Amino acid sequence: MAGRIRDVDIALVRERSPIADVIGEHIQLRNAGGGNLKGLCPFHDEKSPSFNVTPERGMYFCFGCSEGGDVITFVEKIEHLSFGEAVERLAQRAGIQLQYEQGGYVPRRDHGERARLIEAHKAAAEFYAEKLFAPDAAPGRRFLSERGFERADAELFGVGYAPAEWEALTRHLLGRGFTTEELVKGGLAKEGRRGPIDRFRGRLIWPIRDATGDVIGFGARKLLDSDDGPKYLNTPDSPLYKKSQVLYGIDLAKREISKRSQAVIVEGYTDVMACHLAGVPTAVATCGTSFGEEHIKILRRFLLDQAEFRGEVIFTFDGDAAGQKAALRAFADEQKFVTQTYVAVQPDGLDPCDLRVKQGDAAVRDLIASREPLFQFAIRSTISRYDLRSNEGKIAALDAAAPIVAGIKDVGLRKRYAIDLDRWLGFMDERFVMQRIAEVGGAQQGRPRRAPQTAPVDPGVRVEGELLKLAVQRPALLGPRFDALDPQAFTAPDHVTLHKVIAAAGGVAAGAFGGREWVDRLLEHAHEDGARALVTRFAVEAIQADAHAEERYAGAMLAAIEAIAVDRAIAQAKSRMQRLNPVEEQQEYNKLFGELVALEQQRRVLRDRAAGS
C-alpha cells in the first residue's frame, strides 16, 4: 500500500495550484474588489453570485451554502475525490512528482478510481484518434469530408474511429494495465458471452470532455449498414459521465462563453464543430439527452448569469415542427436563466453543419446573428397554429398564448409582450388582451406570496464581525488591544467560537505575519463543530474598507467594540445606582456616580475614535 503523502509535497501542491486558476476551470470569476473574486457557486443553485475566492490566502467560501476551504478542498468537493486523490490530481496538473512517507513514489495503479478511469479514457481517446487514419476507417473519413471537415479539424476535436472488431480497444487497454472491471465501470467495454467486448465498434467517435478538458465519455456515430444499433450511441452513465450534466464542447467553449457572455446551444457534435470553425466558438451541445436544468447550471457558472441581462443564450433548432417543439421545451426552462434567451431558426431546416457545407462560414454566423427572443418565438409559434382571420381563431390563439405571457416573471417584459400579442392577433384592444392574460396568470399562480422579512442586523454584532475579519485577515493592524478584549465583548455564537479559536492560536500577536500561514494556524486550533468553516468564511469575506484605509478602519472597529463594552458597564452602573438610597447610602452612591462620569467620558472618546474623528 502507498504511504501518507509527505507534508512538504502537500504544501508544494498548494503553492503551485493557484486557487483562482483551478476554480476558474469550473466557473467564471470576476473581480469583487479588495483582491477578492466572485462567481456563481458550483455547489448549489443560485441567482446571484455569493461564491467568493481570496487568492491572497488561497481560500474560497460560499455565503449561500457555507461551502469553503482551500484549493484541495475545492477539488475534493467538485470532483468527488478523497483528500489524497485531490492532492494527486493537483500534483499531476502542476507537474509535481509526489513522494510518500512509505514506499517511495506512487505507482499509477495505486491512484484512486476516478483518476484511473480518467487515464483509461485518455488512453482510449488516443487509440481512437490514431485509428481514424487506418485503412478500415475510410467510411469515417468520408463522413467527415462530406461535412466539410479536414484532418486538422478532426485532430482539433479529437475525432477518432472505433475498429469494427469485438475487442480492439479492450485488448489495447488491458495491455496498458487497466482492469476489466475498470473498463466496464467506465463504459468503455461491456460484458460479452466470453468476456469483455468493446462498447463501440465500426463507428466514428467523438471524445466528450468535462470543463477541465478530461475525457469522461464518448459519442459514437453509426457508419456501417451492418450496424443494427442506433444512429448515435453514447457512453452510459458512469462514475465519470452523467449525460444530464455534460455539454459537448464546453472545454473549448468555456473561455469564449465567459468572454462574450454568450452560449449557443446546438443539437449535435458536427454542429458544434461547424460553429467553432465558422467563428462561433461559444457553441456546445447536449449528449444524447434534451437540454435540461443541470445543463443550465453548467452554463450559468460560465456566463456568471445574474440579474443584469447582459449575456445571452441562443438555442438553434430546425425550422420544422420538431424543431419548434424543441424550442418550446426550452422555453419551459427559460426563466431558470436570468440572462436573455434567444432562438435562431434556419427557415430551410438546415442545421449549422449542413448550412456551413452549402453556404459557407458566413451563413453560420448570420444564423446566430438573426436570433429572436425566445419569448417572442414561443408566442408566435403558438399563435401560428390558429386561423387568425376569424374572431373565434383569434380568441383561441389568445387563450393558447396567454399562459406563456402570464408566465413571464419580469413585469415590464410581460406587459410589452402582451402589447405585442395584441398587435400580432389584430385585436387592437390592449386592455382586453391584458385582462385575459391576467386572468390566466391569476389562475396559474394563485395569490402572490409576500416576500420574507429579513431581520435587521444588530450594529454591535456587525462590529464584532468586522473586527473578527480583521483579526483573521489583517492581524497586525489590531495589536495587543484586540487580545486584551474581554471574551464577553463578543455576543453572536459564531463570533464567540471564532474568538476562542484566535485566542487558542495565541491571539493576533501570534499572527502578526498574517496571510495563509496565520489562517492555517487558526484551522489547526479550530476544534469545535463548525469552527473550521468559520475560519474559512472570515478569511474570505470582504472587509468593508478600502485597502488604503484599513489601518484607520481597524482602529475604528476596536474603538467601537470597546465603546460597546463601556455601554454595558454604564448600564450596569446606572442599574446599581437605581437600587441605592442617595441619602442613606451616600458614600456608595457618590462613588458610583464618579465611576459613571468617568465611563461617560471614556465612551465619548471611544465613539469619536470609532467615527474616525
Side-chain angles (χ1 to χ4, degrees):
M1 281 185 65
R4 180 176 176 273
I5 303 173
R6 299 188 310 169
D7 289 343
V8 66
D9 284 356
I10 294 172
L12 185 62
V13 165
R14 283 197 181 100
E15 180 186 331
R16 294 191 184 172
S17 303
I19 193 166
D21 293 349
V22 173
I23 293 179
E25 293 176 353
H26 297 270
I27 66 173
Q28 165 71 347
L29 294 170
R30 291 186 181 163
N31 192 342
N36 283 3
L37 303 169
K38 184 176 278 193
L40 287 168
C41 181
F43 302 117
H44 82 287
D45 194 20
E46 60 179 4
K47 288 293 185 183
S48 57
S50 57
F51 185 87
N52 287 253
V53 179
T54 304
E56 178 187 358
R57 285 174 290 284
M59 308 293 286
Y60 72 91
F61 189 82
C62 175
F63 293 93
C65 69
S66 298
E67 285 285 357
D70 63 8
V71 67
I72 297 174
T73 312
F74 180 83
V75 173
E76 282 185 75
K77 297 280 177 63
I78 200 76
E79 302 285 0
H80 306 290
L81 304 176
S82 67
F83 177 85
E85 290 170 342
V87 173
E88 288 171 345
R89 186 161 172 80
L90 287 169
Q92 186 178 19
R93 180 184 181 276
I96 297 170
Q97 183 93 54
L98 290 176
Q99 286 188 330
Y100 282 60
E101 291 181 344
Q102 302 169 15
Y105 293 108
V106 182
R108 306 305 288 181
R109 65 177 176 274
D110 287 326
H111 281 198
E113 177 187 87
R114 181 180 174 85
R116 291 282 297 164
L117 294 181
I118 289 287
E119 289 174 11
H121 278 73
K122 180 181 178 183
E126 292 168 352
F127 173 84
Y128 288 139
E130 181 183 338
K131 293 299 181 183
L132 180 62
F133 303 103
D136 62 340
R141 294 193 298 274
R142 184 165 58 250
F143 177 94
L144 292 171
S145 177
E146 288 171 352
R147 285 154 183 80
F149 301 123
E150 301 175 356
R151 177 170 183 154
D153 304 330
E155 290 174 348
L156 173 64
F157 289 89
V159 182
Y161 176 75
E165 304 174 31
W166 289 102
E167 302 165 2
L169 177 68
T170 300
R171 281 196 310 271
H172 175 75
L173 294 180
L174 291 175
R176 294 281 298 271
F178 297 100
T179 66
T180 297
E181 182 183 2
E182 288 171 336
L183 302 189
V184 172
K185 182 171 277 191
L188 297 168
K190 57 185 178 179
E191 290 290 357
R193 294 179 184 176
R194 301 177 182 176
I197 59 174
D198 293 354
R199 180 167 293 276
F200 306 118
R201 301 184 302 277
R203 287 175 174 255
L204 200 59
I205 300 289
W206 282 267
I208 300 167
R209 297 182 171 89
D210 64 13
T212 67
D214 284 332
V215 179
I216 57 173
F218 295 95
R221 210 279 186 186
K222 180 165 71 172
L223 296 171
L224 308 174
D225 293 337
S226 57
D227 187 339
D228 58 359
K231 185 176 179 181
Y232 279 95
L233 189 63
N234 285 73
T235 295
D237 279 1
S238 75
L240 295 183
Y241 181 86
K242 301 285 187 294
K243 64 183 179 182
S244 63
Q245 301 172 12
V246 174
L247 285 169
Y248 175 72
I250 192 66
D251 57 310
L252 296 175
K254 65 179 183 181
R255 298 202 183 282
E256 288 297 324
I257 288 173
S258 297
K259 182 177 165 185
R260 303 185 184 203
S261 291
Q262 179 200 74
V264 176
I265 316 300
V266 297
E267 293 193 314
Y269 307 125
T270 56
D271 292 330
V272 171
M273 293 175 68
C275 283
H276 281 251
L277 296 171
V280 184
T282 57
V284 293
T286 59
C287 301
T289 186
S290 57
F291 189 84
E293 190 168 347
E294 292 299 320
H295 301 118
I296 291 173
K297 290 178 182 177
I298 296 170
L299 288 180
R300 290 192 67 232
R301 294 200 294 267
F302 289 110
L303 287 164
L304 195 55
D305 181 28
Q306 52 187 305
E308 296 177 7
F309 279 85
R310 292 181 303 181
E312 55 185 30
V313 175
I314 304 168
F315 294 92
T316 64
F317 298 106
D318 294 343
D320 59 15
Q324 290 192 7
K325 187 176 180 181
L328 291 172
R329 275 201 312 270
F331 170 80
D333 284 326
E334 195 278 343
Q335 290 176 102
K336 291 174 183 170
F337 287 109
V338 180
T339 192
Q340 299 177 86
T341 46
Y342 296 86
V343 174
V345 177
Q346 182 65 18
D348 55 14
L350 295 177
D351 59 32
C353 181
D354 291 338
L355 184 62
R356 178 172 177 261
V357 171
K358 294 187 176 182
Q359 300 182 32
D361 291 349
V364 177
R365 296 194 297 271
D366 290 344
L367 168 64
I368 305 306
S370 69
R371 66 200 182 281
E372 65 175 310
L374 185 51
F375 285 131
Q376 176 176 309
F377 178 83
I379 295 166
R380 298 199 74 154
S381 295
T382 299
I383 65 176
S384 67
R385 302 197 301 264
Y386 297 88
D387 181 359
L388 302 183
R389 292 171 297 179
S390 67
N391 287 329
E392 290 80 3
K394 290 180 181 179
I395 291 292
L398 172 57
D399 288 347
I404 299 174
V405 181
I408 299 174
K409 293 178 182 176
D410 183 278
V411 176
L413 203 58
R414 189 191 317 143
K415 183 175 180 180
R416 293 308 312 170
Y417 276 112
I419 294 170
D420 286 341
L421 178 58
D422 173 54
R423 179 165 51 85
W424 293 332
L425 293 174
F427 280 115
M428 308 307 288
D429 188 345
E430 292 175 8
R431 181 177 295 181
F432 168 71
V433 170
M434 287 182 176
Q435 181 179 350
R436 199 88 168 191
I437 291 169
E439 289 170 358
V440 170
Q444 282 182 332
Q445 300 171 8
R447 297 181 64 181
R449 292 182 294 178
R450 294 179 62 183
Q453 298 297 311
T454 304
V457 178
D458 180 89
V461 172
R462 191 192 74 82
V463 169
E464 293 174 21
E466 286 300 296
L467 195 60
L468 287 168
K469 278 191 278 183
L470 288 161
V472 174
Q473 299 179 31
R474 302 285 188 269
L477 297 179
L478 300 180
R481 282 174 66 192
F482 178 89
D483 291 337
L485 289 171
D486 188 321
Q488 294 183 348
F490 299 93
T491 58
D494 284 355
H495 298 167
V496 172
T497 300
L498 185 54
H499 181 255
K500 286 180 182 177
V501 172
I502 294 168
V508 295
F513 40 80
R516 179 57 193 263
E517 188 177 346
W518 172 233
V519 173
D520 285 343
R521 181 165 179 160
L522 292 174
L523 289 169
E524 288 174 11
H525 290 82
H527 303 305
E528 292 187 29
D529 288 345
R532 290 181 65 85
L534 284 174
V535 172
T536 304
R537 171 186 153 198
F538 280 82
V540 170
E541 189 169 358
I543 295 168
Q544 301 300 307
D546 294 334
H548 64 82
E550 282 181 354
E551 185 172 357
R552 190 174 66 208
Y553 185 68
M557 290 298 102
L558 276 168
I561 203 162
E562 289 168 342
I564 291 169
V566 171
D567 284 338
R568 294 195 192 102
I570 288 172
Q572 290 170 1
K574 286 181 176 179
S575 176
R576 286 162 58 197
M577 285 179 66
Q578 287 173 356
R579 296 196 297 271
L580 294 175
N581 187 317
V583 177
E584 296 176 2
E585 301 170 281
Q586 184 176 8
Q587 185 176 354
E588 181 68 16
Y589 186 88
N590 289 342
K591 180 185 175 183
L592 275 174
F593 184 78
E595 289 178 8
L596 187 60
V597 170
L599 287 169
E600 294 278 10
Q601 176 61 27
Q602 185 183 0
R603 179 168 65 177
R604 279 195 294 274
V605 171
L606 290 171
R607 283 185 172 174
D608 286 345
R609 288 181 186 170
S613 26

